[in-house]
């Protein structure tokens, strides 16, 4: 006879935090969101890798590439660059993150001189950048011929067919700096000459990077940026249980800081084999997370297999239809609560603290705080990060609104059969994810700052100044469907915001 759970599983939206006593010290500025990323002997040693914020970006084509990894590391979190690409492509993304110098930006808006104003406008519309490099071959590393900014053209007085070379600011009129210039020296040049952008040029005349005036202030605003011992950004990568013997060495050689097995269901021999290979070849020097699981038994299996952190969640992502297609999964809140209990029991037995990650089910910002209060150490988010400028997808206009493309790794578009592999045919037999749009939300920096300000404020309401203190003091209550309605605006006519200004 099948085993039946006595209670239904619940989602984050079914819970609220009950406020606790807040001392005068409980102000958001005093809250620390530092959290461990990998296992360690709690009370004896410090984690090999900790994060300054409890957020990581999902292992998805539509979310995590090198650009996202750099942007999130600046805020104190970690991106796991997607593995559903060739080993060489993924390793190259890792290298770009590790070789990135804070403040030196590789140009992603580039045109040839024979292209047109229409191309400039299309590039600006698609990427949102007003500075366009003009290079001989239209690449980010081609010979620099000039730049185009919004001051170089007037749409109302120029033809869309006008060539870039006729209105660009040519190289001889630009102030540039040679490769090897320090960031301080570059910023001094920018301020001395009142520039918005300074091209960094190699000895052969090719473009190396840009330093932007706006990044000076942003760099000062990122005191939580996550760096390794060599002052390089920390970056993660997704792997699968099929080609790990080829992929893992290439990623390690490229400088990856932490790996994570990307699988829809982690309670399997395939994951144990993958972890065993990494431990045999690298010992504990290579960190690897595993998952996903939704109960204590699954957690125990992966912890004993040697996972450095464990992901929780099956079927809760906004683009995931695993529950619909296969009837497999569990409410995310219940899964987090049960796995937390298993994690704490494992710690009492072994002295090893294995961090857990809530993956999926985050719809509203406060769900992050709930997940942390329930016991997880950090959250993995896909839809959340897919909305930002830094995600690798296109920004498109849909019914008069800007949207970003977003698709699941189990969708026909991703064709990531390895993520759903159970040792059978090397193909995606049916889809477990959808292809969709999400509302465009602007920059990652602005949105993450707002989200975390809400998390810190709620923690203060609970009398907590750290994540462990929140987990110790939190009081949670289930809510009824009627009280959920009560929690939002109700029994009023909400004014249209555009009319109320």
């Amino acid at each position: 006879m099948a085993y039946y759970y006595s209670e239904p599983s619940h989602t984050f939206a079914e819970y609220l935090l009950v406020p606790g006593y807040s001392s005068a010290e409980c102000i958001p500025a005093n809250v620390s969101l530092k959290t461990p990323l990998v296992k360690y002997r709690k009370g004896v040693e410090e984690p090999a890798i900790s994060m300054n914020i409890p957020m990581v970006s999902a292992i998805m084509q539509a979310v995590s590439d090198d650009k996202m990894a750099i942007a999130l590391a600046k805020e104190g979190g970690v991106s796991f660059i997607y593995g559903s690409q060739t080993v060489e492509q993924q390793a190259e993304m890792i290298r770009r993150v590790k070789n990135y110098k804070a403040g030196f930006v590789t140009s992603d808006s580039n045109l040839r001189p024979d292209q047109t104003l229409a191309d400039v406008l299309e590039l600006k519309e698609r990427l949102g950048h007003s500075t366009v490099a003009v290079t001989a071959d239209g690449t980010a590393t081609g010979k620099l011929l000039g730049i185009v900014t919004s001051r170089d053209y007037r749409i109302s007085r120029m033809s869309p067919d006008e060539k870039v070379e006729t209105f660009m600011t040519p190289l001889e009129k630009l102030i540039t700096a040679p490769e090897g210039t320090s960031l301080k020296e570059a910023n001094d040049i920018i301020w001395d000459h009142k520039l918005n952008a300074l091209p960094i040029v190699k000895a052969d005349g090719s473009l190396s990077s840009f330093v932007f005036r706006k990044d000076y202030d942003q760099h000062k605003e990122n005191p939580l940026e996550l760096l390794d011992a060599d002052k390089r950004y920390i970056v993660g990568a997704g792997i699968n249980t099929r080609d790990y013997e080829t992929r893992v060495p290439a990623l390690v050689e490229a400088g990856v800081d932490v790996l994570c097995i990307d699988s829809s269901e982690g309670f399997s021999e395939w994951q144990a084999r993958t972890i065993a290979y990494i431990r045999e070849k690298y010992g504990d020097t290579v960190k690897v997370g595993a998952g996903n699981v939704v109960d204590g038994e699954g957690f125990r299996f992966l912890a004993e297999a040697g996972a450095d952190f464990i992901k929780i969640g099956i079927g809760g992502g906004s683009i995931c239809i695993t529950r619909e297609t296969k009837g497999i999964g569990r409410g995310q809140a219940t899964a987090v609560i049960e796995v937390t209990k298993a994690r704490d029991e494992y710690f009492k037995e072994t002295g090893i603290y294995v961090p857990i990650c809530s993956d999926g089910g985050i719809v509203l910002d406060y769900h992050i705080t709930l997940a942390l209060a329930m016991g997880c150490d950090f959250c993995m988010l896909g839809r959340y990060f897919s909305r930002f400028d830094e995600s690798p997808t296109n920004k498109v206009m849909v019914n008069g609104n800007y949207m970003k493309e977003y698709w699941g790794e189990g969708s026909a578009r991703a064709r990531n059969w390895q993520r759903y592999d159970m040792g059978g045919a090397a193909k995606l037999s049916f889809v477990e994810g959808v292809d969709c749009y999400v509302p465009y939300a602007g920059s990652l920096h602005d949105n993450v700052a707002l989200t975390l300000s809400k998390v810190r404020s709620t923690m203060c309401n609970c009398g907590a100044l750290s994540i462990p203190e929140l987990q110790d003091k939190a009081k949670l209550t289930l809510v009824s469907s009627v009280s959920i309605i009560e929690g939002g605006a109700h029994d009023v006519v909400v004014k249209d915001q555009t009319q109320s200004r």
Side-chain angles (χ1 to χ4, degrees), residues 47 50 82 123 177 189 248 254 267 269 285 298 313 318 363 375 377 384 410 417 423 427 474:
S50 291
Y82 69 95
L123 203 59
I189 294 170
V248 170
F267 195 177
E269 181 181 344
T285 61
S318 59
V363 180
D377 297 278
Y384 177 89
W417 65 267
K427 66 177 183 177

Side-chain angles (χ1 to χ4, degrees), residues 339-457:
V339 172
T340 293
K341 182 180 178 182
R343 187 268 316 278
D344 292 346
E345 290 173 351
Y346 185 79
F347 169 65
K348 288 179 182 178
E349 293 174 19
T350 65
I352 299 172
Y353 184 91
V354 182
I356 54 177
C357 167
S358 178
D359 177 17
I362 302 293
V363 180
L364 302 172
D365 288 346
Y366 82 88
H367 291 167
I368 296 174
T369 320
L370 283 172
L372 296 173
M374 290 173 180
C376 85
D377 297 278
F378 54 96
C379 296
M380 178 171 279
L381 303 109
R383 180 195 60 84
Y384 177 89
F385 287 114
S386 71
R387 304 171 300 147
F388 303 148
D389 289 319
E390 292 82 1
S391 74
T393 62
N394 294 321
K395 183 174 74 172
V396 296
M397 183 76 77
V398 179
N399 296 328
N401 297 306
Y402 281 118
M403 310 289 281
K404 291 276 283 186
E405 294 178 307
Y406 182 45
W407 59 92
E409 288 299 295
S411 67
R413 182 170 183 173
R415 304 303 300 175
N416 185 11
W417 65 267
Q418 293 95 334
R419 187 177 199 276
Y420 300 87
D421 178 39
M422 298 181 72
K427 66 177 183 177
L428 194 66
S429 300
F430 55 89
V431 298
E432 296 187 43
V434 298
D435 193 345
C436 58
Y437 298 105
V438 290
Y440 167 67
S443 75
L444 179 146
H445 174 74
D446 292 341
N447 282 275
V448 167
L450 177 60
T451 294
L452 294 180
S453 70
K454 296 177 185 178
V455 172
R456 292 186 179 99
S457 180

Side-chain angles (χ1 to χ4, degrees), residues 37-40 239 258-261 266 268-280 282-291 297-311 346 350 352-355:
L37 178 60
V38 296
K39 67 182 180 184
Y40 67 111
I239 60 174
V258 57
L259 303 170
C260 184
I261 303 172
S268 75
E269 181 181 344
W270 307 108
Q271 294 223 357
R273 288 185 183 182
T274 305
I275 297 170
Y277 164 80
I278 293 171
R279 293 290 172 254
E280 182 178 347
Y282 301 101
D284 290 327
T285 61
V286 172
K287 307 302 182 183
V288 56
E297 193 178 2
F299 169 87
R300 172 72 65 158
F301 173 80
L302 290 176
E304 292 177 348
D308 286 292
F309 68 87
I310 293 171
K311 286 203 293 137
Y346 185 79
T350 65
I352 299 172
Y353 184 91
V354 182

